[in-house]
Amino acid sequence: MKKVVVGIDIGGTNTAFGIVDIEGNIYGSDKVSTQAYPEVNDFIEELCGRIKNLLDSLPFLYELQGVGIGAPNANYFKGTIEDAANLPWKGIVFFVDKFKKYFSGIPVYMTNDAKAAAMGEMIYGDAKGMKNFIVITLGTGLGSGFVVDGRLMLGHNSIAGELGHVTINPNGRICGCGRRGCLETYASATGIKRTVFKLLADNTDPSEFRDLSFNQLTAEMITGAALNGDSLAVEAYEYTGRVLGSALANAVAVTDPEAIFLFGGLARAGKYILEPTKKYMEQSLMPNFRGKVKILLSAVDGMNAAILGASALVWQHHK
C-alpha cells in the first residue's frame, strides 16, 4: 500500500492541490478558485470534496499520511490564516479546525507559503542533507524560509524570518505593510517593475518598455528582455541583485547558512539575478563568511513546486 500525502497551496486567485509520495511523484492534481468562495466554509467544503474525488481516482491502494497546507499569513501553531490581504476571508480564520471536519483523524499541518517552499527544498530539492539554509521566494512580494540546525525556524508567533519586511531604506519605497523601504519593495516582481520605471525616468535610452503603463508591464517581460540582452532590463536586475545581496549578507550574519536558494518568478532570469546577488552579498559579508555561502536556484521551482512544498510539511513530521 503506497503512502501518500495531500499538498495544498492556497493562493489569492486559485488554490492548487495534489497527491504526492515521499519521492515527490504527483499522482494527479487539480485546482479550485479561491475568489469564487467569499465564505470560507463553502470554500473548504468544495476543496475537500475535490480532494476526496482525486483520492478516489487513484489506480492503487493508498494510505493517507496527512495534509500539508501553504497559505499567506498562516500560523503554524494555531492552524489559522490571519488577516491575509489577498484572500477573500478577513480576520482570523481557524482553517485547520474547519478542514479536519472533512478529514477526521488525519494530521493536518499549515504554514506560510515561503516556509513551505523551504520544506520542499529540504525534502525534494538540492537542500537534501543540509541543516542550515535559506529559501527566498521572489514572487509578487518577497517571502523567506529559514532552516537552522535542521529545523524550520518559526518563532514565537510563527512569523519568524520575514526578510521581505526588513527595512533597507527608512525613506524608501512605500510597502503594502504600511512602512517604507522594505526589501520586497525592491526585490520582487512588483519591486523590479518599480525599478524599471525609475530607470526610464532617469535616462533617455530607447527601451521596449517606454510605451507601456505600469499595469501593462510584467516581471516576465523584464526577464525576457534581460535574457535578450536589453540593457535597461539587465540594469534593473543588477540593481535588484545589489539590494538583495546586501540584505542577504545580514541574514548570513545571523543564521550562518550553507546555501541560499532563490525560488519564484525572478529566479527564472538565471545569471542576471544570481550573479549580481552573489557579487554584492560577498562585498557586504563579514570576512569570515566570504566564499562559504552558495547562492543557488531552487531545484523544485516549477508548476508543481507549491504543491510539493506543502506536502513536504507532512513528510518532515514523519521524518
Side-chain angles (χ1 to χ4, degrees):
M1 187 175 292
K2 181 174 284 293
K3 295 181 178 181
V4 298
V5 303
V6 176
I8 303 171
D9 175 59
I10 299 176
T13 303
N14 292 304
T15 293
F17 57 92
I19 315 301
V20 188
D21 68 13
I22 187 64
E23 283 80 32
N25 299 307
I26 298 179
Y27 299 98
S29 61
D30 197 358
K31 64 182 179 180
V32 59
S33 170
T34 308
Q35 293 295 327
Y37 298 91
E39 295 294 330
V40 69
N41 291 333
D42 296 336
F43 171 79
I44 291 174
E45 181 179 4
E46 177 66 18
L47 174 62
C48 290
R50 297 273 195 96
I51 291 170
K52 288 181 177 179
N53 288 339
L54 193 60
L55 287 166
D56 289 342
S57 70
L58 292 177
F60 51 79
L61 294 176
Y62 67 87
E63 182 181 340
L64 184 60
Q65 302 295 294
V67 178
I69 306 171
N73 292 42
N75 187 313
Y76 175 86
F77 300 119
K78 298 178 180 178
T80 53
I81 299 175
E82 302 181 359
D83 303 307
N86 296 324
L87 299 181
W89 326 301
K90 303 309 176 186
I92 297 176
V93 178
F94 290 86
F95 196 93
V96 169
D97 287 346
K98 294 176 182 292
F99 190 94
K100 282 184 174 180
K101 293 177 182 178
Y102 296 88
F103 284 89
S104 179
I106 301 296
V108 180
Y109 308 100
M110 169 183 275
T111 192
N112 77 22
D113 41 5
K115 289 182 173 64
M119 285 293 92
E121 201 68 50
M122 177 185 283
I123 301 296
Y124 305 116
D126 287 343
K128 286 181 180 178
M130 290 187 187
K131 291 188 177 296
N132 296 277
F133 66 93
I134 302 171
V135 170
I136 304 295
T137 61
L138 299 169
T140 304
L142 186 150
S144 49
F146 290 70
V147 173
V148 179
D149 295 335
R151 292 182 176 273
L152 184 66
M153 189 172 72
L154 296 168
H156 179 66
N157 296 298
S158 189
I159 53 176
E162 282 287 348
L163 193 63
H165 294 285
V166 170
T167 301
I168 60 168
N169 181 357
N171 300 310
R173 299 173 180 177
I174 294 175
C175 182
C177 74
R179 302 184 305 149
R180 280 187 175 271
C182 290
L183 176 61
E184 77 168 32
T185 66
Y186 298 88
S188 65
T190 307
I192 199 169
K193 286 173 58 176
R194 295 169 81 166
T195 297
V196 164
F197 273 83
K198 177 70 164 57
L199 292 172
L200 288 170
D202 287 347
N203 66 67
T204 58
D205 295 343
S207 171
E208 62 186 85
F209 303 133
R210 289 201 176 274
D211 294 329
L212 298 177
S213 70
F214 187 85
N215 288 335
Q216 289 173 323
L217 181 64
T218 67
E220 290 79 10
M221 291 179 185
I222 301 168
T223 297
L227 294 173
N228 288 327
D230 181 276
S231 60
L232 189 140
V234 171
E235 186 177 354
Y237 266 106
E238 179 78 12
Y239 179 77
T240 302
R242 184 171 73 193
V243 175
L244 178 59
S246 298
L248 291 179
N250 292 328
V252 168
V254 174
T255 63
D256 186 18
E258 178 180 347
I260 299 170
F261 296 88
L262 303 185
F263 176 98
L266 295 194
R268 298 189 184 101
K271 69 176 184 178
Y272 293 105
I273 186 67
L274 277 176
E275 291 179 0
T277 300
K278 178 71 172 178
K279 176 174 69 176
Y280 291 109
M281 184 187 77
E282 288 290 334
Q283 288 180 7
S284 301
L285 283 173
M286 292 172 57
N288 52 330
F289 286 114
R290 289 176 188 160
K292 297 178 181 178
V293 183
K294 295 172 283 190
I295 295 186
L296 305 168
L297 297 179
S298 171
V300 294
D301 202 2
M303 290 182 61
N304 293 316
I307 293 173
L308 290 173
S311 71
L313 287 171
V314 183
W315 295 124
Q316 176 65 10
H317 276 271
H318 282 268
K319 182 179 177 181

